[in-house]
Structure formats: C-alpha cells, structure tokens
Amino acid sequence: MTSVYELARNLGEELKKTPQVETLLAAKKAYEESPEIATAVEEYTKLHQEFEGKMQAGGISAEEQKAFSEDMAKRGEEIRNNKIASELFAAEMNFNNFMNSIFTIVTSTLTGEDPAQSGCSPSSCASCGGGCH
C-alpha cells in the first residue's frame, strides 16, 4: 500500500507540471535575476527597518513620519508597477488560489462532503485558478 507521504510526494511532482506552478517558478526566476527589482526591494526593506529602529528609539518627528510615509508609498508603488514584480505577485496569487482549491478538495474529502458543495465547482474555477476538475 502506498503511504500518505509517497502520495504527497507524487502530488508535489504532479503539481510541478501545472501551469500555475510553472508560471510561478518562471516569475520567481525572473524576479531573482533582476538587479533592478532586487535593488529596489532591498532599499525599501532597509529604509523600513531603519525607520522602525528610529521609531522605537523615539526620535521621529511628525514631519519625518509624513515624509517617510510618502517616500515609502512612492517606492512601494514603483515596485508594484515593475513588470517583473507584478508578474510575480500575480503568479503567487494564482498559485495560492490554486493550492486553496486543492486543499478544499482534500478537506472536503476528509469530511465526506462533496467538493462542489464546499465552494469548489467548475463555475468558480476562473476566480480560484481552477485545476480541480
């Protein structure tokens, strides 16, 4: 008899062949290989950490907080508008929706419910990433 762990490994191997996973891996690779986005995210993270340190030390004026918020909003917008970053965010969201649909099928099966009655149906595949039917 096949163990649950072997089945999980087999499921993982099959998932790697899905468009959702292929797209996610390609988007991650492009993201990791982009010096532009890596620098922008690194700077954003560094500035945020430095600001948090200053906030905890109590050395930030209201004007500095406002300027920081505006600067970080601008930097965040630039990151979100970056084609590579936005493709990664979209691929991650699609993958998460896809995995949620799989999890719904597993948990519905465990509880003896019909997955179609648990919110997973062909008519909702477009919004969740599909892959369950």
Side-chain angles (χ1 to χ4, degrees):
M1 186 163 122
T2 306
S3 78
V4 171
Y5 297 107
E6 289 175 74
L7 291 171
R9 276 189 286 283
N10 291 340
L11 177 59
E13 289 299 322
E14 290 302 313
L15 288 171
K16 287 191 324 189
K17 300 173 188 174
T18 65
Q20 293 85 349
V21 173
E22 290 174 354
T23 300
L24 176 62
L25 294 176
K28 276 186 175 184
K29 184 177 185 208
Y31 183 88
E32 291 167 354
E33 293 176 351
S34 169
E36 174 190 341
I37 193 66
T39 300
V41 171
E42 186 178 311
E43 287 175 3
Y44 182 92
T45 303
K46 181 182 173 191
L47 288 171
H48 192 270
Q49 289 171 342
E50 288 173 359
F51 187 78
E52 282 186 357
K54 289 179 184 178
M55 286 280 289
Q56 289 176 356
I60 300 294
S61 70
E63 294 82 24
E64 287 175 305
Q65 285 181 348
K66 182 179 178 191
F68 174 78
S69 292
E70 290 171 359
D71 181 44
M72 293 304 277
K74 180 182 171 196
R75 289 172 183 267
E77 188 68 23
E78 288 172 3
I79 291 169
R80 283 187 297 279
N81 288 335
N82 177 285
K83 183 179 186 295
I84 292 171
S86 66
E87 287 175 356
L88 176 59
F89 299 148
E92 286 174 336
M93 186 169 41
N94 190 36
F95 171 77
N96 289 335
N97 290 338
F98 174 63
M99 292 304 294
N100 284 335
S101 70
I102 291 169
F103 186 71
T104 296
I105 293 169
V106 171
T107 56
S108 295
T109 302
L110 289 173
T111 60
E113 297 174 27
D114 178 2
Q117 299 300 316
S118 301
C120 183
S121 68
S123 63
S124 61
C125 286
S127 64
C128 79
C132 59
H133 302 284

